[in-house]
Amino acid sequence: MKRLNFAVLALLLGAGCGSETTPLPVAEQAASTAPQVANAEPASEPQQPLEELLSQAKKQLEARDANAAVQTLTKAIQQHPKAAQPYIQRGTLLGEAKLLPEAIRDMTMAIELEPKNARLRNTRGYFLLLLKNLDRAYQDFSDAVGLDLQYPQPYNNRGLVMIAKEKYEAAIKEFDAALRVDEDYIDALNNRGYALMQLDRMDEAIASFDRALELNPDYLNSLNNRGRAYQKIERYSDAVNDFAKAIQLAPANLQYYALRSDALRAAGRLIEAREDLQHITRVNELNQVNTRLKANPSQADLWVRRGELLLEGSEFEEAEKSFVNATRVDAKCLEAILGQAHLATAQKNWAKVIEQCNAALAISNSHTALSLRGDAYFAQEKLDEALADYETARRMDAHVAAAFLKRSELLKKSGRADEAKADYIRAVSFDPSLGNGEVVPVSAVVPVREPARFPTEDELKALRKTAEVSDSKPANASESKTEAATEAKTPEAKPAQEKTPDAKPAEEPTAESPAESTEK
Protein backbone atom coordinates (compact mmCIF):
# COMPACT_ATOMS: atom_id res chain seq x y z
CA MET A 1 0.00 0.00 0.00
CA LYS A 2 1.22 3.48 -0.80
CA ARG A 3 2.42 5.16 2.39
CA LEU A 4 0.21 7.93 3.66
CA ASN A 5 1.54 11.42 3.09
CA PHE A 6 1.50 13.34 6.38
CA ALA A 7 0.96 16.74 4.76
CA VAL A 8 -1.95 15.40 2.76
CA LEU A 9 -3.40 13.86 5.90
CA ALA A 10 -3.25 17.21 7.66
CA LEU A 11 -5.51 18.69 5.00
CA LEU A 12 -7.78 15.66 4.80
CA LEU A 13 -8.25 15.37 8.55
CA GLY A 14 -8.91 19.08 8.77
CA ALA A 15 -11.98 18.39 6.68
CA GLY A 16 -13.37 16.66 9.74
CA CYS A 17 -13.98 13.36 11.45
CA GLY A 18 -16.52 14.18 14.12
CA SER A 19 -15.84 14.92 17.76
CA GLU A 20 -14.53 12.80 20.64
CA THR A 21 -16.13 13.03 24.04
CA THR A 22 -13.16 11.53 25.96
CA PRO A 23 -10.04 13.73 26.07
CA LEU A 24 -6.75 12.08 25.05
CA PRO A 25 -4.43 11.16 27.90
CA VAL A 26 -1.07 12.92 28.17
CA ALA A 27 0.81 9.85 26.93
CA GLU A 28 -1.11 9.85 23.67
CA GLN A 29 -0.63 13.57 23.12
CA ALA A 30 3.11 13.29 23.65
CA ALA A 31 3.47 10.27 21.41
CA SER A 32 2.15 11.98 18.30
CA THR A 33 3.43 14.82 16.18
CA ALA A 34 0.64 14.21 13.70
CA PRO A 35 -1.88 16.90 12.71
CA GLN A 36 -4.83 17.41 15.01
CA VAL A 37 -8.37 16.71 13.89
CA ALA A 38 -10.90 19.48 13.40
CA ASN A 39 -14.67 19.23 13.63
CA ALA A 40 -16.54 18.65 10.43
CA GLU A 41 -18.49 21.26 8.56
CA PRO A 42 -21.63 20.13 6.76
CA ALA A 43 -20.84 19.02 3.23
CA SER A 44 -22.25 21.27 0.53
CA GLU A 45 -21.90 18.87 -2.40
CA PRO A 46 -24.62 16.34 -3.33
CA GLN A 47 -24.67 13.36 -1.02
CA GLN A 48 -23.43 10.04 -2.38
CA PRO A 49 -24.71 6.70 -1.10
CA LEU A 50 -22.52 5.26 1.65
CA GLU A 51 -21.94 1.95 -0.15
CA GLU A 52 -20.76 3.83 -3.22
CA LEU A 53 -18.19 5.77 -1.20
CA LEU A 54 -16.97 2.66 0.60
CA SER A 55 -16.65 0.82 -2.69
CA GLN A 56 -14.65 3.73 -4.09
CA ALA A 57 -12.31 3.68 -1.10
CA LYS A 58 -11.85 -0.08 -1.53
CA LYS A 59 -10.84 0.37 -5.16
CA GLN A 60 -8.39 3.11 -4.20
CA LEU A 61 -6.80 0.79 -1.65
CA GLU A 62 -6.57 -1.95 -4.27
CA ALA A 63 -4.80 0.60 -6.47
CA ARG A 64 -2.43 1.25 -3.54
CA ASP A 65 -3.50 4.87 -3.20
CA ALA A 66 -4.07 5.20 0.54
CA ASN A 67 -4.20 9.01 0.48
CA ALA A 68 -7.11 8.98 -1.97
CA ALA A 69 -8.84 6.34 0.16
CA VAL A 70 -8.52 8.52 3.26
CA GLN A 71 -9.97 11.45 1.33
CA THR A 72 -12.91 9.35 0.19
CA LEU A 73 -13.52 8.03 3.70
CA THR A 74 -13.38 11.57 5.09
CA LYS A 75 -16.04 12.52 2.57
CA ALA A 76 -18.12 9.52 3.68
CA ILE A 77 -17.81 10.67 7.31
CA GLN A 78 -18.97 14.17 6.38
CA GLN A 79 -21.97 12.90 4.43
CA HIS A 80 -22.85 9.97 6.72
CA PRO A 81 -21.77 10.95 10.26
CA LYS A 82 -23.93 8.25 11.88
CA ALA A 83 -22.29 5.38 9.96
CA ALA A 84 -19.53 3.48 11.76
CA GLN A 85 -17.81 1.91 8.75
CA PRO A 86 -16.07 5.04 7.42
CA TYR A 87 -14.61 5.69 10.89
CA ILE A 88 -13.48 2.05 11.16
CA GLN A 89 -11.78 2.05 7.78
CA ARG A 90 -10.15 5.44 8.19
CA GLY A 91 -9.06 4.61 11.73
CA THR A 92 -7.41 1.43 10.46
CA LEU A 93 -5.51 3.37 7.79
CA LEU A 94 -4.43 6.02 10.28
CA GLY A 95 -3.23 3.29 12.64
CA GLU A 96 -1.14 1.79 9.85
CA ALA A 97 0.42 5.22 9.27
CA LYS A 98 1.26 5.35 13.00
CA LEU A 99 -1.08 8.31 13.47
CA LEU A 100 -2.29 6.63 16.60
CA PRO A 101 -4.13 9.44 18.44
CA GLU A 102 -6.11 10.16 15.26
CA ALA A 103 -6.79 6.43 14.79
CA ILE A 104 -8.01 6.23 18.40
CA ARG A 105 -10.42 9.14 17.81
CA ASP A 106 -11.92 7.41 14.79
CA MET A 107 -12.30 4.15 16.68
CA THR A 108 -13.88 6.02 19.60
CA MET A 109 -16.48 7.49 17.24
CA ALA A 110 -17.11 4.00 15.79
CA ILE A 111 -17.55 2.62 19.32
CA GLU A 112 -20.06 5.35 20.14
CA LEU A 113 -22.01 4.32 17.06
CA GLU A 114 -21.64 0.55 17.70
CA PRO A 115 -21.12 0.23 21.47
CA LYS A 116 -21.60 -3.54 21.56
CA ASN A 117 -18.97 -4.31 18.90
CA ALA A 118 -16.18 -6.19 20.74
CA ARG A 119 -13.81 -5.99 17.78
CA LEU A 120 -13.78 -2.21 17.85
CA ARG A 121 -12.80 -2.25 21.53
CA ASN A 122 -9.99 -4.67 20.68
CA THR A 123 -8.84 -2.41 17.84
CA ARG A 124 -8.74 0.71 19.98
CA GLY A 125 -6.98 -1.24 22.71
CA TYR A 126 -4.35 -2.31 20.20
CA PHE A 127 -3.65 1.31 19.25
CA LEU A 128 -3.43 2.23 22.93
CA LEU A 129 -1.03 -0.67 23.46
CA LEU A 130 1.20 0.69 20.71
CA LEU A 131 1.19 4.02 22.57
CA LYS A 132 2.18 2.11 25.72
CA ASN A 133 -0.96 3.34 27.46
CA LEU A 134 -1.22 -0.03 29.15
CA ASP A 135 -4.04 0.58 31.61
CA ARG A 136 -6.44 2.02 29.02
CA ALA A 137 -5.47 -0.73 26.57
CA TYR A 138 -6.19 -3.40 29.19
CA GLN A 139 -9.57 -1.83 29.90
CA ASP A 140 -10.52 -1.91 26.21
CA PHE A 141 -9.44 -5.55 25.90
CA SER A 142 -11.42 -6.42 29.04
CA ASP A 143 -14.49 -4.63 27.67
CA ALA A 144 -14.11 -6.65 24.46
CA VAL A 145 -13.98 -9.87 26.48
CA GLY A 146 -17.10 -8.79 28.37
CA LEU A 147 -18.95 -8.22 25.12
CA ASP A 148 -17.87 -11.53 23.57
CA LEU A 149 -16.44 -14.30 25.76
CA GLN A 150 -15.69 -16.43 22.67
CA TYR A 151 -13.51 -13.77 21.04
CA PRO A 152 -9.89 -14.98 21.63
CA GLN A 153 -7.84 -11.97 20.54
CA PRO A 154 -8.49 -9.61 23.46
CA TYR A 155 -7.40 -12.39 25.86
CA ASN A 156 -4.16 -12.58 23.91
CA ASN A 157 -3.72 -8.83 23.95
CA ARG A 158 -4.42 -8.65 27.69
CA GLY A 159 -1.57 -11.14 28.02
CA LEU A 160 0.67 -8.74 26.10
CA VAL A 161 -0.18 -5.98 28.55
CA MET A 162 0.92 -8.32 31.33
CA ILE A 163 4.16 -9.05 29.46
CA ALA A 164 4.79 -5.31 29.15
CA LYS A 165 4.32 -5.09 32.92
CA GLU A 166 6.59 -8.13 33.42
CA LYS A 167 3.78 -10.07 35.07
CA TYR A 168 4.50 -13.30 33.27
CA GLU A 169 2.36 -15.69 35.31
CA ALA A 170 -0.66 -13.45 34.71
CA ALA A 171 0.24 -13.27 31.03
CA ILE A 172 0.30 -17.08 30.76
CA LYS A 173 -3.20 -17.26 32.23
CA GLU A 174 -4.46 -14.84 29.57
CA PHE A 175 -2.85 -16.83 26.75
CA ASP A 176 -4.32 -20.03 28.18
CA ALA A 177 -7.74 -18.37 28.14
CA ALA A 178 -7.28 -17.45 24.49
CA LEU A 179 -6.26 -21.02 23.69
CA ARG A 180 -9.34 -22.42 25.45
CA VAL A 181 -11.40 -20.46 22.93
CA ASP A 182 -9.16 -21.40 19.98
CA GLU A 183 -6.65 -24.19 20.59
CA ASP A 184 -4.94 -23.46 17.26
CA TYR A 185 -4.43 -19.75 17.98
CA ILE A 186 -0.85 -19.51 16.79
CA ASP A 187 -0.01 -16.07 18.21
CA ALA A 188 -1.24 -17.05 21.66
CA LEU A 189 0.91 -20.19 21.49
CA ASN A 190 3.95 -18.12 20.59
CA ASN A 191 3.23 -15.53 23.28
CA ARG A 192 2.66 -18.20 25.90
CA GLY A 193 6.04 -19.67 25.03
CA TYR A 194 7.64 -16.26 25.28
CA ALA A 195 6.23 -15.68 28.77
CA LEU A 196 7.38 -19.15 29.86
CA MET A 197 10.87 -18.31 28.61
CA GLN A 198 10.99 -15.28 30.90
CA LEU A 199 10.29 -17.62 33.81
CA ASP A 200 13.05 -20.03 32.66
CA ARG A 201 10.48 -22.76 32.05
CA MET A 202 12.26 -23.73 28.86
CA ASP A 203 10.80 -27.17 28.23
CA GLU A 204 7.25 -25.80 28.44
CA ALA A 205 8.22 -22.82 26.28
CA ILE A 206 9.72 -25.06 23.60
CA ALA A 207 6.60 -27.25 23.63
CA SER A 208 4.48 -24.14 23.02
CA PHE A 209 6.70 -23.04 20.13
CA ASP A 210 6.65 -26.59 18.74
CA ARG A 211 2.85 -26.51 18.62
CA ALA A 212 2.87 -23.11 16.89
CA LEU A 213 5.34 -24.42 14.30
CA GLU A 214 3.26 -27.54 13.73
CA LEU A 215 0.46 -25.21 12.69
CA ASN A 216 2.77 -23.02 10.59
CA PRO A 217 6.34 -24.25 10.01
CA ASP A 218 7.28 -20.84 8.58
CA TYR A 219 6.14 -18.79 11.57
CA LEU A 220 9.15 -16.53 12.10
CA ASN A 221 8.40 -15.42 15.64
CA SER A 222 8.27 -18.95 16.98
CA LEU A 223 11.34 -20.02 15.00
CA ASN A 224 13.24 -17.11 16.49
CA ASN A 225 11.95 -17.68 20.00
CA ARG A 226 12.51 -21.42 19.94
CA GLY A 227 16.05 -20.83 18.70
CA ARG A 228 16.63 -18.54 21.68
CA ALA A 229 15.21 -21.15 24.05
CA TYR A 230 17.41 -23.87 22.55
CA GLN A 231 20.45 -21.67 23.00
CA LYS A 232 19.64 -21.03 26.65
CA ILE A 233 19.58 -24.78 27.36
CA GLU A 234 22.77 -25.27 25.27
CA ARG A 235 21.12 -27.13 22.40
CA TYR A 236 23.24 -25.12 20.01
CA SER A 237 22.77 -27.20 16.85
CA ASP A 238 18.98 -26.95 17.20
CA ALA A 239 19.31 -23.20 17.75
CA VAL A 240 21.45 -22.87 14.61
CA ASN A 241 18.84 -24.77 12.59
CA ASP A 242 16.01 -22.50 13.75
CA PHE A 243 17.96 -19.30 13.03
CA ALA A 244 19.04 -20.70 9.66
CA LYS A 245 15.42 -21.23 8.67
CA ALA A 246 14.56 -17.75 9.92
CA ILE A 247 17.32 -16.38 7.67
CA GLN A 248 15.94 -18.38 4.76
CA LEU A 249 12.49 -16.87 5.32
CA ALA A 250 13.70 -13.32 6.05
CA PRO A 251 17.19 -12.92 4.54
CA ALA A 252 17.12 -9.13 4.96
CA ASN A 253 16.84 -9.41 8.75
CA LEU A 254 20.39 -9.09 10.04
CA GLN A 255 19.35 -9.88 13.59
CA TYR A 256 18.91 -13.53 12.69
CA TYR A 257 22.50 -13.63 11.41
CA ALA A 258 23.72 -12.18 14.72
CA LEU A 259 21.73 -14.78 16.66
CA ARG A 260 22.98 -17.64 14.50
CA SER A 261 26.53 -16.37 14.88
CA ASP A 262 26.15 -16.52 18.68
CA ALA A 263 24.87 -20.10 18.48
CA LEU A 264 27.59 -21.16 16.06
CA ARG A 265 30.25 -19.65 18.25
CA ALA A 266 28.86 -21.44 21.32
CA ALA A 267 28.93 -24.68 19.33
CA GLY A 268 32.61 -24.12 18.49
CA ARG A 269 31.93 -23.52 14.78
CA LEU A 270 34.04 -20.36 14.66
CA ILE A 271 34.56 -20.06 10.91
CA GLU A 272 30.81 -20.16 10.23
CA ALA A 273 30.18 -17.76 13.12
CA ARG A 274 32.64 -15.30 11.65
CA GLU A 275 31.03 -15.60 8.20
CA ASP A 276 27.69 -14.47 9.68
CA LEU A 277 29.36 -11.48 11.34
CA GLN A 278 31.10 -10.64 8.07
CA HIS A 279 27.73 -10.75 6.33
CA ILE A 280 26.35 -8.23 8.84
CA THR A 281 29.34 -5.96 8.29
CA ARG A 282 29.01 -6.23 4.51
CA VAL A 283 25.29 -5.44 4.48
CA ASN A 284 25.77 -2.50 6.84
CA GLU A 285 28.44 -1.06 4.57
CA LEU A 286 26.25 -1.69 1.53
CA ASN A 287 23.43 0.25 3.18
CA GLN A 288 25.80 3.14 3.85
CA VAL A 289 27.05 3.12 0.25
CA ASN A 290 23.47 3.07 -1.05
CA THR A 291 22.64 6.08 1.11
CA ARG A 292 25.64 8.00 -0.20
CA LEU A 293 24.79 7.10 -3.80
CA LYS A 294 21.29 8.48 -3.39
CA ALA A 295 22.85 11.80 -2.43
CA ASN A 296 25.54 11.70 -5.12
CA PRO A 297 25.07 9.13 -7.91
CA SER A 298 27.97 10.54 -9.96
CA GLN A 299 30.73 9.06 -7.78
CA ALA A 300 32.33 6.19 -9.67
CA ASP A 301 34.20 4.92 -6.62
CA LEU A 302 30.91 4.43 -4.75
CA TRP A 303 29.46 2.43 -7.62
CA VAL A 304 32.61 0.31 -7.64
CA ARG A 305 32.41 -0.33 -3.92
CA ARG A 306 28.74 -1.20 -4.22
CA GLY A 307 29.57 -3.68 -6.96
CA GLU A 308 32.34 -5.24 -4.86
CA LEU A 309 30.03 -5.68 -1.88
CA LEU A 310 27.29 -7.18 -4.03
CA LEU A 311 29.81 -9.51 -5.65
CA GLU A 312 30.92 -10.69 -2.19
CA GLY A 313 27.29 -11.59 -1.55
CA SER A 314 27.00 -13.41 -4.92
CA GLU A 315 24.43 -10.86 -6.13
CA PHE A 316 25.89 -10.97 -9.61
CA GLU A 317 23.22 -9.14 -11.59
CA GLU A 318 23.16 -6.11 -9.30
CA ALA A 319 26.97 -6.15 -9.04
CA GLU A 320 27.26 -5.93 -12.81
CA LYS A 321 24.86 -2.99 -12.93
CA SER A 322 26.97 -1.16 -10.37
CA PHE A 323 30.23 -1.71 -12.27
CA VAL A 324 28.56 -0.60 -15.49
CA ASN A 325 27.25 2.53 -13.77
CA ALA A 326 30.79 3.29 -12.60
CA THR A 327 32.11 3.10 -16.18
CA ARG A 328 29.29 5.36 -17.33
CA VAL A 329 30.50 7.95 -14.86
CA ASP A 330 34.16 7.34 -15.78
CA ALA A 331 34.85 5.24 -18.89
CA LYS A 332 38.48 4.67 -17.77
CA CYS A 333 37.69 3.68 -14.20
CA LEU A 334 40.23 0.88 -13.71
CA GLU A 335 38.58 -0.45 -10.54
CA ALA A 336 35.23 -0.81 -12.34
CA ILE A 337 36.79 -2.75 -15.21
CA LEU A 338 38.65 -5.00 -12.77
CA GLY A 339 35.40 -5.43 -10.86
CA GLN A 340 33.78 -6.75 -14.03
CA ALA A 341 36.73 -9.11 -14.49
CA HIS A 342 36.30 -10.41 -10.93
CA LEU A 343 32.57 -10.85 -11.61
CA ALA A 344 33.25 -12.78 -14.81
CA THR A 345 35.72 -14.97 -12.88
CA ALA A 346 33.01 -15.79 -10.31
CA GLN A 347 30.71 -16.70 -13.20
CA LYS A 348 33.49 -18.70 -14.94
CA ASN A 349 33.02 -16.63 -18.08
CA TRP A 350 36.67 -16.91 -19.08
CA ALA A 351 36.37 -15.13 -22.41
CA LYS A 352 34.88 -12.08 -20.68
CA VAL A 353 37.58 -12.21 -18.00
CA ILE A 354 40.25 -11.96 -20.69
CA GLU A 355 38.34 -9.18 -22.46
CA GLN A 356 38.00 -7.09 -19.30
CA CYS A 357 41.61 -7.69 -18.26
CA ASN A 358 42.81 -6.60 -21.68
CA ALA A 359 40.76 -3.42 -21.28
CA ALA A 360 42.29 -2.83 -17.86
CA LEU A 361 45.83 -3.44 -19.14
CA ALA A 362 45.24 -0.86 -21.86
CA ILE A 363 44.80 1.68 -19.05
CA SER A 364 47.44 0.47 -16.59
CA ASN A 365 49.97 -2.33 -16.14
CA SER A 366 47.80 -3.85 -13.42
CA HIS A 367 49.12 -6.90 -11.62
CA THR A 368 45.54 -7.74 -10.69
CA ALA A 369 44.53 -7.78 -14.36
CA LEU A 370 47.52 -9.98 -15.23
CA SER A 371 46.70 -12.35 -12.40
CA LEU A 372 43.02 -12.65 -13.32
CA ARG A 373 43.84 -13.13 -16.98
CA GLY A 374 46.32 -15.82 -15.97
CA ASP A 375 43.54 -17.61 -14.09
CA ALA A 376 41.31 -17.44 -17.16
CA TYR A 377 44.06 -18.85 -19.39
CA PHE A 378 44.71 -21.61 -16.83
CA ALA A 379 41.00 -22.52 -16.84
CA GLN A 380 41.17 -22.72 -20.62
CA GLU A 381 44.29 -24.92 -20.28
CA LYS A 382 46.45 -22.32 -22.01
CA LEU A 383 49.27 -22.96 -19.60
CA ASP A 384 52.03 -21.02 -21.36
CA GLU A 385 49.92 -17.86 -21.48
CA ALA A 386 48.77 -18.37 -17.89
CA LEU A 387 52.29 -18.81 -16.51
CA ALA A 388 53.56 -15.86 -18.50
CA ASP A 389 50.91 -13.65 -16.88
CA TYR A 390 51.65 -15.07 -13.42
CA GLU A 391 55.36 -14.38 -13.80
CA THR A 392 54.76 -10.83 -15.02
CA ALA A 393 52.41 -10.29 -12.08
CA ARG A 394 55.05 -11.82 -9.76
CA ARG A 395 52.43 -14.07 -8.30
CA MET A 396 53.53 -17.06 -6.22
CA ASP A 397 50.84 -19.20 -4.59
CA ALA A 398 49.28 -22.65 -4.65
CA HIS A 399 47.30 -21.80 -7.77
CA VAL A 400 50.46 -20.91 -9.70
CA ALA A 401 52.16 -24.01 -8.33
CA ALA A 402 49.31 -26.13 -9.69
CA ALA A 403 49.79 -24.53 -13.12
CA PHE A 404 53.52 -25.35 -13.13
CA LEU A 405 52.79 -28.89 -11.96
CA LYS A 406 50.24 -29.45 -14.70
CA ARG A 407 52.59 -28.16 -17.39
CA SER A 408 55.34 -30.35 -15.93
CA GLU A 409 53.14 -33.41 -16.38
CA LEU A 410 52.33 -32.48 -19.98
CA LEU A 411 56.00 -31.84 -20.79
CA LYS A 412 56.98 -35.17 -19.24
CA LYS A 413 54.41 -37.01 -21.38
CA SER A 414 55.80 -35.34 -24.50
CA GLY A 415 59.36 -36.47 -23.65
CA ARG A 416 60.70 -33.07 -22.63
CA ALA A 417 62.12 -34.31 -19.34
CA ASP A 418 64.46 -31.40 -18.54
CA GLU A 419 61.73 -28.78 -19.01
CA ALA A 420 59.30 -30.94 -17.04
CA LYS A 421 61.78 -31.19 -14.16
CA ALA A 422 62.31 -27.40 -14.16
CA ASP A 423 58.57 -26.79 -13.95
CA TYR A 424 58.23 -29.38 -11.18
CA ILE A 425 60.96 -27.67 -9.16
CA ARG A 426 59.16 -24.33 -9.59
CA ALA A 427 55.88 -25.89 -8.50
CA VAL A 428 57.38 -27.36 -5.32
CA SER A 429 59.14 -24.06 -4.53
CA PHE A 430 55.74 -22.33 -4.48
CA ASP A 431 53.95 -25.16 -2.66
CA PRO A 432 56.19 -27.62 -0.78
CA SER A 433 53.24 -29.97 -0.21
CA LEU A 434 53.46 -30.93 -3.87
CA GLY A 435 56.78 -32.64 -3.13
CA ASN A 436 54.78 -35.22 -1.19
CA GLY A 437 52.46 -35.82 -4.10
CA GLU A 438 49.66 -33.72 -2.55
CA VAL A 439 48.10 -31.77 -5.42
CA VAL A 440 46.36 -28.54 -4.40
CA PRO A 441 43.11 -27.95 -6.27
CA VAL A 442 43.17 -25.15 -8.81
CA SER A 443 40.38 -23.36 -6.94
CA ALA A 444 42.38 -23.19 -3.72
CA VAL A 445 43.84 -19.72 -4.21
CA VAL A 446 43.73 -18.95 -0.48
CA PRO A 447 43.63 -21.92 1.90
CA VAL A 448 40.87 -21.76 4.52
CA ARG A 449 42.27 -21.37 8.03
CA GLU A 450 40.83 -21.00 11.51
CA PRO A 451 40.35 -17.34 12.36
CA ALA A 452 43.27 -16.04 14.39
CA ARG A 453 40.96 -14.11 16.72
CA PHE A 454 37.23 -14.09 17.24
CA PRO A 455 35.65 -10.69 17.99
CA THR A 456 35.55 -9.64 21.63
CA GLU A 457 32.27 -9.39 23.54
CA ASP A 458 32.25 -5.60 23.04
CA GLU A 459 32.80 -6.04 19.30
CA LEU A 460 30.03 -8.62 19.15
CA LYS A 461 27.64 -6.30 20.99
CA ALA A 462 28.44 -3.52 18.50
CA LEU A 463 27.74 -5.85 15.57
CA ARG A 464 24.45 -7.01 17.10
CA LYS A 465 23.44 -3.40 17.65
CA THR A 466 24.13 -2.48 14.04
CA ALA A 467 22.22 -5.58 12.92
CA GLU A 468 19.17 -4.33 14.82
CA VAL A 469 19.50 -0.70 13.69
CA SER A 470 20.20 -1.28 10.00
CA ASP A 471 17.55 -3.88 9.48
CA SER A 472 13.80 -3.85 9.28
CA LYS A 473 12.48 -4.73 12.70
CA PRO A 474 11.70 -8.41 13.15
CA ALA A 475 8.05 -9.10 12.58
CA ASN A 476 6.17 -9.20 15.81
CA ALA A 477 2.49 -8.34 15.86
CA SER A 478 -0.26 -10.27 14.23
CA GLU A 479 -3.15 -8.48 12.59
CA SER A 480 -6.60 -9.73 11.87
CA LYS A 481 -8.56 -8.10 9.02
CA THR A 482 -11.49 -5.72 9.18
CA GLU A 483 -14.11 -5.75 6.52
CA ALA A 484 -13.39 -2.02 6.51
CA ALA A 485 -9.81 -2.43 5.38
CA THR A 486 -9.21 -4.27 2.14
CA GLU A 487 -5.47 -4.61 2.74
CA ALA A 488 -4.93 -3.58 6.32
CA LYS A 489 -1.23 -4.16 6.77
CA THR A 490 1.10 -2.40 9.14
CA PRO A 491 3.55 -0.28 7.12
CA GLU A 492 6.89 -2.05 6.53
CA ALA A 493 5.78 -5.18 8.34
CA LYS A 494 3.97 -8.28 7.20
CA PRO A 495 0.57 -8.98 8.74
CA ALA A 496 0.83 -10.70 12.09
CA GLN A 497 4.35 -9.42 12.54
CA GLU A 498 4.72 -5.96 14.11
CA LYS A 499 6.86 -5.25 17.16
CA THR A 500 5.02 -5.14 20.47
CA PRO A 501 5.75 -2.46 23.08
CA ASP A 502 8.30 -3.30 25.77
CA ALA A 503 9.07 -6.73 24.28
CA LYS A 504 12.74 -7.67 24.01
CA PRO A 505 13.73 -7.37 20.34
CA ALA A 506 15.20 -10.84 19.94
CA GLU A 507 12.40 -12.66 21.73
CA GLU A 508 9.11 -11.87 20.19
CA PRO A 509 5.56 -12.00 21.48
CA THR A 510 2.87 -11.18 18.95
CA ALA A 511 0.00 -8.74 19.36
CA GLU A 512 -3.46 -8.86 17.91
CA SER A 513 -4.39 -5.72 16.06
CA PRO A 514 -7.40 -4.12 14.50
CA ALA A 515 -7.77 -5.76 11.20
CA GLU A 516 -10.59 -8.13 11.87
CA SER A 517 -14.17 -8.53 10.70
CA THR A 518 -16.46 -6.15 12.53
CA GLU A 519 -19.54 -8.24 11.95
CA LYS A 520 -21.46 -8.93 15.15
Side-chain angles (χ1 to χ4, degrees), residues 214-226:
E214 285 175 13
L215 294 168
N216 181 2
D218 294 340
Y219 186 38
L220 268 171
N221 290 347
S222 286
L223 280 169
N224 177 41
N225 287 338
R226 190 175 68 177

Side-chain angles (χ1 to χ4, degrees), residues 30-44:
S32 175
T33 57
Q36 298 301 305
V37 179
N39 289 330
E41 294 294 332
S44 58

Side-chain angles (χ1 to χ4, degrees), residues 151-172:
Y151 180 29
Q153 283 143 333
Y155 293 108
N156 177 71
N157 288 344
R158 281 202 312 199
L160 286 169
V161 173
M162 292 298 102
I163 282 181
K165 293 184 174 186
E166 299 184 358
K167 297 180 179 180
Y168 300 115
E169 292 284 4
I172 291 167

Side-chain angles (χ1 to χ4, degrees), residues 6 67 83 93 122 146 153 200 227 290 320 358 361 419 491 508:
F6 284 79
N67 287 321
L93 290 173
N122 182 64
Q153 283 143 333
D200 290 325
N290 286 339
E320 183 172 14
N358 288 340
L361 290 166
E419 295 171 83
E508 303 168 350

Side-chain angles (χ1 to χ4, degrees), residues 211 277 496:
R211 175 60 182 149
L277 296 181

Side-chain angles (χ1 to χ4, degrees), residues 445-481:
V445 179
V446 181
V448 175
R449 297 182 177 89
E450 281 288 314
R453 180 182 72 81
F454 201 83
T456 65
E457 284 300 325
D458 288 341
E459 290 169 335
L460 285 170
K461 287 177 183 177
L463 277 169
R464 293 187 198 103
K465 185 175 180 181
T466 57
E468 294 172 13
V469 168
S470 68
D471 193 28
S472 306
K473 293 181 180 179
N476 253 357
S478 71
E479 299 185 3
S480 41
K481 289 201 171 176

Side-chain angles (χ1 to χ4, degrees), residues 221-297:
N221 290 347
S222 286
L223 280 169
N224 177 41
N225 287 338
R226 190 175 68 177
R228 299 278 301 196
Y230 281 144
Q231 187 157 357
K232 287 183 179 181
I233 60 174
E234 300 183 0
R235 288 173 59 177
Y236 299 123
S237 294
D238 290 328
V240 168
N241 290 338
D242 275 352
F243 297 138
K245 184 164 184 182
I247 288 169
Q248 180 184 353
L249 294 169
N253 191 328
L254 296 183
Q255 195 176 54
Y256 298 141
Y257 286 91
L259 291 168
R260 186 173 68 175
S261 177
D262 282 347
L264 287 164
R265 182 191 181 197
R269 295 159 63 179
L270 299 185
I271 294 176
E272 296 167 87
R274 171 165 286 202
E275 287 172 354
D276 276 351
L277 296 181
Q278 289 171 340
H279 175 81
I280 293 170
T281 301
R282 182 183 71 82
V283 173
N284 283 334
E285 185 181 353
L286 181 59
N287 290 338
Q288 293 169 5
V289 169
N290 286 339
T291 299
R292 293 175 64 190
L293 277 170
K294 286 180 182 178
N296 188 359

